[in-house]
Amino acid sequence: MTDFQSWAHHTQQRMEHTLDSLLPASHISPNRLHEAMRYAVLGGGKRVRALLAHAAGELCGANPAKVDIAAAAVELIHAYSLVHDDMPCMDDDDLRRGKPSCHKQYDDATALLVGDALQTLAFQSLATPGLCTDPGRQLEMVNLLAIASGSRGMAGGQAIDLASVGKALDQSELEYMHIHKTGALIRAAALLGAYCADELDQAQLHAIDHYAQAIGLAFQVVDDILDAEADSETLGKTAGKDAESDKPTYVTILGIDHAKHLAQELLDDALAPLAPYGEAASQLKQVAHFITQRSF
């Protein structure tokens, strides 16, 4: 196992422990809702957003225990978005992380409430008193996640995505959609990890921000490539879903080869601002390579 694999595994394990501790136990009323929340969050996922938060926190010298909470908040938002995204009124998918989607395992009403509850739990966690020594900084973090999650971020991107089914978008329109739908939360994850540091270096923040915006787009380009090339067992979700739903993707617009070239360009763009930081930015660089070279 490489140093990065060991670090990533350790980070994923501590993220699982943090999420487990934040989620209400299934024996607490309302039992079915709490059981479904845990079903939707635990025991699956790449935890890429948590890896980004911890890698950025490491560069900035943040306390890993504080990053755990910030990263968990982002993972909870991400999990809620997947639960809602899979529902019949959205992308209508029966498979998520290699098991039945939340609404298939439970029912539509429970899945809807799971998403609502996970979103509020994310902000409850991020607003925990004492997360930051500076309350003003902590309020900035709550604001950052709220914007990244709402109509000017992830939810807005999803609205554009739903409105784009069957339409021909150009590359700039597709990029605009994914800057919001996928990129906003990835950017927030990295910045929140950095914000957990006691002292903020503005040059580091700018570097992390540039990096996160580029790697957020790269993540989506790779997702589109995998949707076209990989199988459902590997992906843990229904392969070929975008093509079947007549959704515009980087593959449908550019073709496979050009989409792969774009992913490499975005990787190079993400890594460029990290060059001055050498080994201190090693994990951020490795996470970028993981995002662009993954097979699931």
Side-chain angles (χ1 to χ4, degrees):
M1 184 178 287
T2 67
D3 288 344
F4 172 71
Q5 288 174 324
S6 178
W7 174 85
H9 178 71
H10 174 70
T11 302
Q12 289 160 343
Q13 289 298 110
R14 66 183 295 153
M15 189 78 274
E16 197 75 6
H17 174 76
T18 301
L19 289 166
D20 179 63
S21 66
L22 290 173
L23 287 160
S26 56
H27 63 78
I28 297 174
S29 181
N31 308 68
R32 182 175 170 83
L33 175 59
H34 290 153
E35 178 188 310
M37 289 167 66
R38 299 178 72 84
Y39 177 87
V41 174
L42 300 175
K46 297 176 285 294
R47 306 297 185 206
V48 166
R49 290 151 193 83
L51 294 177
L52 283 166
H54 273 281
E58 188 170 302
L59 173 60
C60 298
N63 181 337
K66 293 183 177 182
V67 180
D68 282 337
I69 302 301
V74 178
E75 286 289 337
L76 289 167
I77 294 287
H78 178 55
Y80 119 68
S81 77
L82 298 182
V83 171
H84 281 188
D85 194 46
D86 289 336
M87 293 183 68
C89 60
M90 301 280 273
D91 279 355
D92 193 14
D93 208 325
D94 295 348
L95 188 66
R96 175 64 65 180
R97 293 175 171 172
K99 59 186 183 182
S101 302
C102 190
H103 72 279
K104 298 299 291 186
Q105 183 71 15
Y106 295 91
D107 53 68
D108 288 4
T110 299
L112 184 65
L113 290 171
V114 164
D116 294 343
L118 291 178
Q119 180 178 197
T120 54
L121 181 59
F123 287 103
Q124 177 188 338
S125 303
L126 196 58
T128 301
L131 180 63
C132 288
T133 52
D134 178 2
R137 169 96 58 83
Q138 191 167 349
L139 187 59
E140 286 182 47
M141 293 168 69
V142 172
N143 184 61
L144 174 64
L145 184 59
I147 292 172
S149 306
S151 63
R152 289 179 288 168
M154 182 186 70
Q158 179 69 7
I160 297 169
D161 189 21
L162 291 170
S164 301
V165 174
K167 295 182 179 179
L169 301 184
D170 61 28
Q171 186 176 340
S172 63
E173 291 171 321
L174 189 65
E175 182 175 295
Y176 179 83
M177 176 174 76
H178 286 305
I179 284 172
H180 294 78
K181 182 184 176 184
T182 306
L185 204 57
I186 284 177
R187 174 177 177 261
L191 289 176
L192 287 173
Y195 269 66
C196 288
D198 289 338
E199 299 293 333
L200 288 182
D201 182 303
Q202 290 304 313
Q204 284 181 339
L205 273 180
H206 286 310
I208 290 169
D209 195 7
H210 183 109
Y211 161 92
Q213 290 184 62
I215 212 60
L217 277 179
F219 185 98
Q220 185 60 52
V221 175
V222 173
D223 243 24
D224 288 354
I225 293 167
L226 291 173
D227 187 70
E229 290 191 332
D231 56 47
S232 298
E233 184 177 355
T234 302
L235 293 178
K237 59 183 179 180
T238 307
K241 186 74 176 178
D242 291 339
E244 180 185 315
S245 304
D246 198 19
K247 280 190 172 187
T249 71
Y250 284 100
V251 172
T252 60
I253 289 176
L254 301 175
I256 285 283
D257 290 342
H258 282 95
K260 289 179 178 179
H261 180 69
L262 176 59
Q264 182 60 51
E265 285 184 340
L266 289 166
L267 172 62
D268 293 341
D269 187 33
L271 295 178
L274 300 181
Y277 300 103
E279 279 300 306
S282 174
Q283 303 302 0
L284 276 172
K285 296 172 188 176
Q286 293 290 347
V287 174
H289 283 290
F290 169 70
I291 286 172
T292 53
Q293 295 170 10
R294 64 197 163 92
S295 59
F296 60 99

